[in-house]
Amino acid sequence: MGTGRRVLASVESTNAEAARIAPTLIGPEWILAHEQTAGRGRRGRAWVGPPGNFMATLVMRPTEPPAQVALRSFVASLALFDAFVAATGRAQSFALKWPNDVLMNGGKVAGILLESAGSGGGVSHIAIGIGVNLVAAPPRDQVEPGAVTPVSLMDETGARVTPEEFLCLLAPAYARWEQSFTTYGFAPIREAWLARAARLGETITARAGTTETQGVFETVDEEGNLVLSTPKGRQVIPAADIFF
Amino acid sequence: MTKKSHDNDVAFIQALAELLQENDLTELEVMREYGENNALNVRVSRAKEVVAQVAAPVAAAPVPAAAPVAAAAAAPAPEAAEDPANHPGAVPSPMVGTAYLQPEPGAPSFVKVGDQVSEGQTVLIIEAMKTMNQIPAPHSGTVKRILVEDGAPVEFGAPLMIVE
Protein backbone atom coordinates (compact mmCIF):
# COMPACT_ATOMS: atom_id res chain seq x y z
CA MET A 1 0.00 0.00 0.00
CA GLY A 2 1.28 3.45 -0.84
CA THR A 3 2.03 6.04 1.78
CA GLY A 4 0.63 9.52 1.25
CA ARG A 5 2.59 12.71 1.76
CA ARG A 6 1.47 16.20 2.53
CA VAL A 7 3.74 19.18 2.99
CA LEU A 8 2.65 22.14 5.10
CA ALA A 9 4.29 25.57 5.23
CA SER A 10 3.40 25.93 8.88
CA VAL A 11 1.46 24.03 11.53
CA GLU A 12 1.39 24.15 15.32
CA SER A 13 2.61 20.55 15.52
CA THR A 14 2.70 17.73 12.97
CA ASN A 15 1.49 15.28 15.66
CA ALA A 16 -1.52 17.51 16.35
CA GLU A 17 -2.25 17.60 12.61
CA ALA A 18 -1.91 13.79 12.57
CA ALA A 19 -4.56 13.43 15.29
CA ARG A 20 -6.83 15.73 13.29
CA ILE A 21 -6.58 13.83 10.01
CA ALA A 22 -6.46 10.32 11.57
CA PRO A 23 -10.23 9.68 11.46
CA THR A 24 -10.36 10.21 7.69
CA LEU A 25 -7.15 8.37 6.77
CA ILE A 26 -7.29 5.78 4.01
CA GLY A 27 -3.68 4.65 4.36
CA PRO A 28 -0.56 5.77 6.22
CA GLU A 29 0.50 9.33 5.57
CA TRP A 30 3.56 11.49 6.18
CA ILE A 31 2.99 15.10 7.20
CA LEU A 32 6.01 17.34 6.66
CA ALA A 33 6.00 20.89 8.04
CA HIS A 34 8.53 23.62 7.29
CA GLU A 35 7.59 25.37 10.50
CA GLN A 36 6.03 24.28 13.79
CA THR A 37 4.61 27.07 15.93
CA ALA A 38 4.12 24.80 18.96
CA GLY A 39 6.44 21.86 18.40
CA ARG A 40 6.60 19.56 21.37
CA GLY A 41 8.52 16.65 22.77
CA ARG A 42 7.72 14.11 25.43
CA ARG A 43 5.74 15.25 28.51
CA GLY A 44 5.17 18.75 27.18
CA ARG A 45 8.82 19.64 26.55
CA ALA A 46 9.17 22.17 23.75
CA TRP A 47 10.74 21.05 20.47
CA VAL A 48 12.41 23.94 18.70
CA GLY A 49 12.81 23.58 14.96
CA PRO A 50 14.23 26.49 13.00
CA PRO A 51 13.58 26.58 9.23
CA GLY A 52 15.67 23.95 7.46
CA ASN A 53 15.27 21.34 10.18
CA PHE A 54 13.15 18.26 9.60
CA MET A 55 9.76 18.10 11.32
CA ALA A 56 7.40 15.38 10.23
CA THR A 57 4.89 12.84 11.45
CA LEU A 58 3.88 9.49 10.06
CA VAL A 59 0.28 8.76 10.96
CA MET A 60 -1.42 5.42 10.51
CA ARG A 61 -4.12 3.22 11.92
CA PRO A 62 -2.54 -0.02 13.10
CA THR A 63 -4.62 -3.04 14.04
CA GLU A 64 -2.46 -4.68 16.72
CA PRO A 65 -3.03 -4.42 20.50
CA PRO A 66 -1.61 -1.25 22.12
CA ALA A 67 1.49 -2.97 23.59
CA GLN A 68 2.46 -4.19 20.12
CA VAL A 69 1.77 -0.77 18.60
CA ALA A 70 4.18 0.77 21.13
CA LEU A 71 7.02 -1.38 19.76
CA ARG A 72 7.02 0.98 16.78
CA SER A 73 9.37 3.05 18.92
CA PHE A 74 12.06 0.59 17.83
CA VAL A 75 10.80 0.45 14.24
CA ALA A 76 10.96 4.24 13.98
CA SER A 77 14.45 4.50 15.48
CA LEU A 78 15.77 1.87 13.05
CA ALA A 79 14.27 3.73 10.09
CA LEU A 80 15.75 6.99 11.31
CA PHE A 81 19.15 5.35 11.79
CA ASP A 82 19.06 4.02 8.22
CA ALA A 83 18.00 7.39 6.82
CA PHE A 84 20.98 9.03 8.55
CA VAL A 85 23.37 6.43 7.20
CA ALA A 86 21.92 6.89 3.70
CA ALA A 87 22.30 10.67 4.03
CA THR A 88 25.87 10.63 5.32
CA GLY A 89 27.40 7.27 4.43
CA ARG A 90 28.76 7.10 7.98
CA ALA A 91 27.21 4.17 9.83
CA GLN A 92 29.86 4.36 12.59
CA SER A 93 28.72 7.87 13.57
CA PHE A 94 25.27 6.69 14.65
CA ALA A 95 23.98 4.58 17.52
CA LEU A 96 20.66 3.83 19.19
CA LYS A 97 19.82 4.52 22.82
CA TRP A 98 16.95 2.63 24.44
CA PRO A 99 14.25 2.71 23.44
CA ASN A 100 14.18 5.10 20.50
CA ASP A 101 16.91 7.75 20.58
CA VAL A 102 19.28 8.10 17.63
CA LEU A 103 22.68 9.48 18.62
CA MET A 104 25.19 11.06 16.25
CA ASN A 105 28.76 11.10 17.56
CA GLY A 106 27.18 10.67 21.00
CA GLY A 107 24.96 13.76 20.60
CA LYS A 108 21.22 14.24 20.22
CA VAL A 109 20.56 14.83 16.52
CA ALA A 110 16.91 13.82 16.47
CA GLY A 111 13.86 13.15 18.60
CA ILE A 112 10.91 10.83 18.19
CA LEU A 113 7.52 11.37 19.83
CA LEU A 114 4.99 8.57 19.45
CA GLU A 115 1.42 9.27 20.42
CA SER A 116 -1.46 6.87 20.15
CA ALA A 117 -4.98 6.75 21.43
CA GLY A 118 -6.86 3.63 22.35
CA SER A 119 -7.79 0.97 24.83
CA GLY A 120 -8.16 -2.81 25.01
CA GLY A 121 -9.93 -2.88 21.67
CA GLY A 122 -6.91 -1.43 19.86
CA VAL A 123 -5.67 2.02 19.03
CA SER A 124 -7.49 4.45 16.79
CA HIS A 125 -4.24 5.81 15.36
CA ILE A 126 -0.55 6.23 16.03
CA ALA A 127 1.39 9.38 15.25
CA ILE A 128 5.16 8.94 14.94
CA GLY A 129 6.58 12.44 15.17
CA ILE A 130 10.22 12.84 14.15
CA GLY A 131 12.33 15.95 14.50
CA VAL A 132 15.85 16.09 13.06
CA ASN A 133 18.42 18.83 13.63
CA LEU A 134 19.41 19.03 9.96
CA VAL A 135 20.88 22.53 10.01
CA ALA A 136 20.74 23.70 13.61
CA ALA A 137 20.59 22.36 17.16
CA PRO A 138 19.40 24.22 20.25
CA PRO A 139 22.23 25.66 22.38
CA ARG A 140 23.59 23.42 25.11
CA ASP A 141 22.21 25.60 27.90
CA GLN A 142 18.65 25.30 26.61
CA VAL A 143 18.38 21.59 27.33
CA GLU A 144 17.90 19.91 30.70
CA PRO A 145 21.00 19.27 32.80
CA GLY A 146 22.26 15.75 32.22
CA ALA A 147 20.57 15.50 28.82
CA VAL A 148 22.54 14.43 25.76
CA THR A 149 24.29 17.35 24.04
CA PRO A 150 22.29 18.59 21.01
CA VAL A 151 24.10 18.37 17.67
CA SER A 152 23.10 19.07 14.08
CA LEU A 153 23.79 17.06 10.96
CA MET A 154 25.32 20.11 9.27
CA ASP A 155 27.69 20.88 12.15
CA GLU A 156 28.81 17.26 12.37
CA THR A 157 29.25 16.60 8.65
CA GLY A 158 29.29 19.94 6.84
CA ALA A 159 26.59 18.58 4.54
CA ARG A 160 23.29 20.30 4.04
CA VAL A 161 20.29 18.03 3.59
CA THR A 162 16.85 19.58 2.98
CA PRO A 163 13.75 18.34 4.80
CA GLU A 164 12.28 17.00 1.53
CA GLU A 165 15.49 15.13 0.73
CA PHE A 166 15.53 13.67 4.20
CA LEU A 167 11.91 12.51 3.89
CA CYS A 168 12.84 10.78 0.62
CA LEU A 169 15.35 8.71 2.62
CA LEU A 170 13.27 8.23 5.77
CA ALA A 171 9.93 7.23 4.21
CA PRO A 172 11.25 4.17 2.31
CA ALA A 173 13.47 3.18 5.27
CA TYR A 174 10.42 3.25 7.51
CA ALA A 175 8.35 1.29 5.00
CA ARG A 176 10.99 -1.48 4.93
CA TRP A 177 11.12 -1.88 8.72
CA GLU A 178 7.34 -1.57 9.02
CA GLN A 179 6.97 -4.40 6.52
CA SER A 180 9.40 -6.52 8.51
CA PHE A 181 7.55 -5.73 11.75
CA THR A 182 4.07 -6.51 10.44
CA THR A 183 5.26 -9.67 8.66
CA TYR A 184 7.65 -11.23 11.18
CA GLY A 185 6.86 -9.39 14.43
CA PHE A 186 9.31 -7.87 16.86
CA ALA A 187 12.10 -10.48 16.56
CA PRO A 188 13.91 -9.06 13.48
CA ILE A 189 13.38 -5.50 14.75
CA ARG A 190 14.92 -6.41 18.09
CA GLU A 191 17.89 -8.09 16.46
CA ALA A 192 18.58 -5.15 14.13
CA TRP A 193 18.11 -2.70 16.97
CA LEU A 194 20.61 -4.53 19.22
CA ALA A 195 23.14 -4.56 16.37
CA ARG A 196 23.00 -0.74 16.36
CA ALA A 197 22.72 -0.20 20.14
CA ALA A 198 25.05 2.12 22.04
CA ARG A 199 26.77 0.82 25.20
CA LEU A 200 25.63 -2.78 24.88
CA GLY A 201 27.66 -4.77 27.44
CA GLU A 202 28.67 -1.61 29.26
CA THR A 203 27.45 -0.08 32.51
CA ILE A 204 24.55 2.34 32.09
CA THR A 205 22.08 4.06 34.42
CA ALA A 206 18.30 3.78 34.13
CA ARG A 207 16.27 6.37 36.00
CA ALA A 208 12.51 5.96 36.54
CA GLY A 209 10.92 8.46 38.88
CA THR A 210 13.12 8.41 41.97
CA THR A 211 14.49 4.93 41.28
CA GLU A 212 17.93 4.67 39.75
CA THR A 213 19.30 1.35 38.54
CA GLN A 214 22.86 0.92 37.43
CA GLY A 215 23.97 -2.21 35.64
CA VAL A 216 25.49 -3.79 32.60
CA PHE A 217 23.27 -3.34 29.54
CA GLU A 218 22.64 -6.99 28.77
CA THR A 219 19.92 -6.90 26.12
CA VAL A 220 16.42 -5.81 25.16
CA ASP A 221 13.89 -8.59 25.72
CA GLU A 222 11.08 -9.82 23.45
CA GLU A 223 8.69 -7.23 24.86
CA GLY A 224 11.12 -4.38 24.30
CA ASN A 225 12.12 -4.08 27.99
CA LEU A 226 15.61 -2.99 28.93
CA VAL A 227 17.55 -5.77 30.68
CA LEU A 228 20.35 -4.79 33.06
CA SER A 229 22.62 -7.14 34.91
CA THR A 230 23.11 -5.66 38.38
CA PRO A 231 24.78 -6.82 41.62
CA LYS A 232 21.22 -7.67 42.81
CA GLY A 233 20.59 -9.82 39.74
CA ARG A 234 18.93 -9.38 36.37
CA GLN A 235 16.60 -6.39 36.24
CA VAL A 236 13.92 -6.05 33.57
CA ILE A 237 13.01 -2.39 33.13
CA PRO A 238 9.87 -1.43 31.18
CA ALA A 239 10.21 2.35 31.55
CA ALA A 240 13.16 4.63 32.33
CA ASP A 241 15.39 7.37 31.04
CA ILE A 242 18.87 6.16 30.21
CA PHE A 243 22.09 7.91 31.13
CA PHE A 244 25.56 6.90 30.04
CA MET B 1 -19.61 -27.77 80.36
CA THR B 2 -16.22 -28.17 81.95
CA LYS B 3 -13.78 -25.37 82.47
CA LYS B 4 -11.35 -27.05 80.08
CA SER B 5 -13.78 -27.34 77.19
CA HIS B 6 -14.80 -23.73 77.77
CA ASP B 7 -11.19 -22.61 77.46
CA ASN B 8 -10.79 -24.72 74.35
CA ASP B 9 -13.87 -23.15 72.81
CA VAL B 10 -12.58 -19.67 73.54
CA ALA B 11 -9.23 -20.53 72.01
CA PHE B 12 -10.98 -21.99 68.97
CA ILE B 13 -13.11 -18.90 68.46
CA GLN B 14 -10.08 -16.70 68.91
CA ALA B 15 -8.26 -18.71 66.23
CA LEU B 16 -11.24 -18.28 63.91
CA ALA B 17 -11.22 -14.54 64.51
CA GLU B 18 -7.54 -14.40 63.60
CA LEU B 19 -8.20 -16.49 60.50
CA LEU B 20 -10.89 -14.01 59.52
CA GLN B 21 -8.49 -11.12 59.94
CA GLU B 22 -5.52 -12.75 58.21
CA ASN B 23 -7.50 -13.82 55.17
CA ASP B 24 -9.42 -10.58 55.02
CA LEU B 25 -12.80 -12.31 55.28
CA THR B 26 -16.06 -10.75 56.39
CA GLU B 27 -17.71 -13.80 57.86
CA LEU B 28 -16.83 -17.31 58.95
CA GLU B 29 -19.23 -19.98 60.18
CA VAL B 30 -18.17 -23.31 61.68
CA MET B 31 -20.23 -26.15 63.12
CA ARG B 32 -18.49 -28.75 65.19
CA GLU B 33 -20.29 -31.85 66.39
CA TYR B 34 -18.51 -33.53 69.26
CA GLY B 35 -21.24 -36.00 69.97
CA GLU B 36 -24.94 -36.19 70.65
CA ASN B 37 -26.18 -32.94 72.18
CA ASN B 38 -22.65 -31.70 72.19
CA ALA B 39 -22.01 -29.28 69.37
CA LEU B 40 -20.31 -25.97 68.90
CA ASN B 41 -21.77 -23.56 66.42
CA VAL B 42 -19.67 -20.43 65.82
CA ARG B 43 -20.28 -17.53 63.49
CA VAL B 44 -17.62 -14.84 63.46
CA SER B 45 -18.21 -11.74 61.40
CA ARG B 46 -16.89 -8.26 61.22
CA ALA B 47 -17.76 -4.99 59.54
CA LYS B 48 -15.30 -4.49 56.71
CA GLU B 49 -13.88 -1.03 56.17
CA VAL B 50 -13.33 -1.95 52.53
CA VAL B 51 -17.07 -2.33 52.02
CA ALA B 52 -17.57 1.06 53.60
CA GLN B 53 -15.04 2.53 51.19
CA VAL B 54 -16.83 1.07 48.20
CA ALA B 55 -20.18 2.26 49.48
CA ALA B 56 -19.05 5.81 50.25
CA PRO B 57 -18.55 7.11 46.71
CA VAL B 58 -21.73 5.38 45.62
CA ALA B 59 -23.65 7.17 48.37
CA ALA B 60 -22.17 10.46 47.18
CA ALA B 61 -23.32 9.78 43.64
CA PRO B 62 -26.23 11.69 42.20
CA VAL B 63 -28.18 8.42 41.81
CA PRO B 64 -28.76 7.09 45.34
CA ALA B 65 -30.71 4.12 43.95
CA ALA B 66 -27.38 2.57 43.05
CA ALA B 67 -26.40 2.20 46.72
CA PRO B 68 -28.55 -0.82 47.65
CA VAL B 69 -27.41 -2.59 44.50
CA ALA B 70 -23.78 -2.14 45.43
CA ALA B 71 -24.48 -3.21 49.00
CA ALA B 72 -26.34 -6.32 47.83
CA ALA B 73 -23.47 -7.22 45.56
CA ALA B 74 -20.99 -6.68 48.35
CA ALA B 75 -22.71 -8.98 50.82
CA PRO B 76 -22.47 -12.37 49.11
CA ALA B 77 -19.12 -11.76 47.47
CA PRO B 78 -17.07 -9.26 49.45
CA GLU B 79 -13.86 -10.29 47.71
CA ALA B 80 -15.28 -9.44 44.31
CA ALA B 81 -16.69 -6.10 45.39
CA GLU B 82 -13.37 -5.21 46.90
CA ASP B 83 -11.34 -5.77 43.73
CA PRO B 84 -11.86 -2.74 41.48
CA ALA B 85 -10.74 -4.82 38.49
CA ASN B 86 -14.08 -6.64 38.65
CA HIS B 87 -16.07 -3.43 38.81
CA PRO B 88 -18.23 -3.02 35.69
CA GLY B 89 -17.10 0.61 35.39
CA ALA B 90 -13.37 -0.24 35.59
CA VAL B 91 -11.08 1.15 32.91
CA PRO B 92 -8.31 -1.45 32.53
CA SER B 93 -4.79 -0.67 31.35
CA PRO B 94 -4.30 -2.02 27.82
CA MET B 95 -0.59 -2.50 28.47
CA VAL B 96 2.29 -2.47 30.91
CA GLY B 97 3.49 1.09 31.29
CA THR B 98 3.60 4.32 33.25
CA ALA B 99 0.44 6.24 34.11
CA TYR B 100 0.21 9.99 33.62
CA LEU B 101 -2.83 11.82 34.96
CA GLN B 102 -1.87 15.14 33.39
CA PRO B 103 -1.06 15.95 29.74
CA GLU B 104 2.24 17.41 30.95
CA PRO B 105 3.83 18.18 34.34
CA GLY B 106 2.18 21.17 35.99
CA ALA B 107 -0.91 21.06 33.78
CA PRO B 108 -4.37 20.28 35.21
CA SER B 109 -5.30 16.60 35.33
CA PHE B 110 -7.29 15.13 32.44
CA VAL B 111 -10.09 14.31 34.90
CA LYS B 112 -10.78 14.34 38.63
CA VAL B 113 -13.16 12.34 40.80
CA GLY B 114 -16.72 13.55 40.27
CA ASP B 115 -16.11 14.77 36.71
CA GLN B 116 -18.59 13.90 34.00
CA VAL B 117 -16.85 12.33 31.01
CA SER B 118 -18.12 11.42 27.60
CA GLU B 119 -17.23 8.24 25.73
CA GLY B 120 -13.89 8.55 23.97
CA GLN B 121 -12.66 11.46 26.08
CA THR B 122 -9.05 11.06 27.19
CA VAL B 123 -8.95 10.25 30.90
CA LEU B 124 -5.22 9.54 31.28
CA ILE B 125 -2.09 8.50 29.41
CA ILE B 126 -0.23 5.20 29.64
CA GLU B 127 3.31 5.42 28.33
CA ALA B 128 5.03 2.28 27.10
CA MET B 129 8.30 2.25 25.18
CA LYS B 130 8.10 6.07 24.99
CA THR B 131 4.78 5.78 23.19
CA MET B 132 2.22 8.04 24.85
CA ASN B 133 -1.09 6.20 24.61
CA GLN B 134 -4.17 8.23 25.43
CA ILE B 135 -6.76 6.13 27.23
CA PRO B 136 -10.33 7.02 26.26
CA ALA B 137 -13.32 6.75 28.59
CA PRO B 138 -15.00 3.46 27.55
CA HIS B 139 -18.42 5.02 28.10
CA SER B 140 -20.00 8.25 29.27
CA GLY B 141 -20.45 8.68 33.00
CA THR B 142 -18.95 10.01 36.19
CA VAL B 143 -15.38 9.43 37.34
CA LYS B 144 -15.95 7.58 40.63
CA ARG B 145 -12.41 6.61 41.51
CA ILE B 146 -8.89 7.15 40.22
CA LEU B 147 -6.91 4.07 41.14
CA VAL B 148 -3.41 5.02 39.98
CA GLU B 149 -1.00 7.77 40.92
CA ASP B 150 0.67 10.08 38.45
CA GLY B 151 3.93 8.53 37.27
CA ALA B 152 3.11 5.10 38.75
CA PRO B 153 3.96 1.87 36.93
CA VAL B 154 0.90 -0.14 35.88
CA GLU B 155 0.44 -3.75 34.83
CA PHE B 156 -1.54 -5.08 31.89
CA GLY B 157 -5.22 -5.20 32.81
CA ALA B 158 -4.77 -3.19 36.02
CA PRO B 159 -7.83 -1.05 36.81
CA LEU B 160 -6.97 2.61 36.24
CA MET B 161 -10.26 4.32 37.01
CA ILE B 162 -13.87 3.61 37.74
CA VAL B 163 -16.26 5.42 35.42
CA GLU B 164 -19.98 4.75 35.81
Side-chain angles (χ1 to χ4, degrees), chain A residues 109-128:
Chain A
V109 68
I112 303 178
L113 176 65
L114 297 97
E115 293 179 300
S116 62
S119 58
V123 306
S124 56
H125 77 274
I126 183 165
I128 304 173

Side-chain angles (χ1 to χ4, degrees), chain A residues 2 18 20 45-46 66 69 82 84-85 101 104 119 132 142 148 152 154 159 161 171 175 189-190:
Chain A
R20 261 196 301 274
R45 290 180 190 118
V69 170
D82 282 5
F84 277 125
V85 174
D101 272 325
M104 178 174 199
S119 58
V132 179
Q142 274 184 25
V148 177
S152 77
M154 193 151 82
V161 179
I189 302 299
R190 172 177 175 265

Side-chain angles (χ1 to χ4, degrees), chain A residues 150-231:
Chain A
V151 297
S152 77
L153 195 69
M154 193 151 82
D155 285 346
E156 297 296 304
T157 64
R160 188 184 179 116
V161 179
T162 69
E164 283 90 346
E165 285 166 345
F166 195 78
L167 184 58
C168 287
L169 301 171
L170 180 60
Y174 187 88
R176 278 195 299 277
W177 288 115
E178 172 72 19
Q179 167 111 42
S180 173
F181 180 62
T182 50
T183 309
Y184 303 107
F186 186 53
I189 302 299
R190 172 177 175 265
E191 196 178 313
W193 193 95
L194 286 169
R196 294 160 174 79
R199 309 288 173 118
L200 198 61
E202 294 176 39
T203 299
I204 62 172
T205 302
R207 207 175 289 158
T210 53
T211 314
E212 201 173 282
T213 312
Q214 210 171 57
V216 174
F217 179 15
E218 207 176 278
T219 190
V220 166
D221 73 11
E222 289 74 15
E223 274 99 52
N225 300 307
L226 181 75
V227 181
L228 296 186
S229 152
T230 78

Side-chain angles (χ1 to χ4, degrees), chain B residues 48-64:
Chain B
K48 276 185 64 123
E49 323 90 78
V50 183
V51 173
Q53 274 174 13
V54 172
V58 174
V63 190

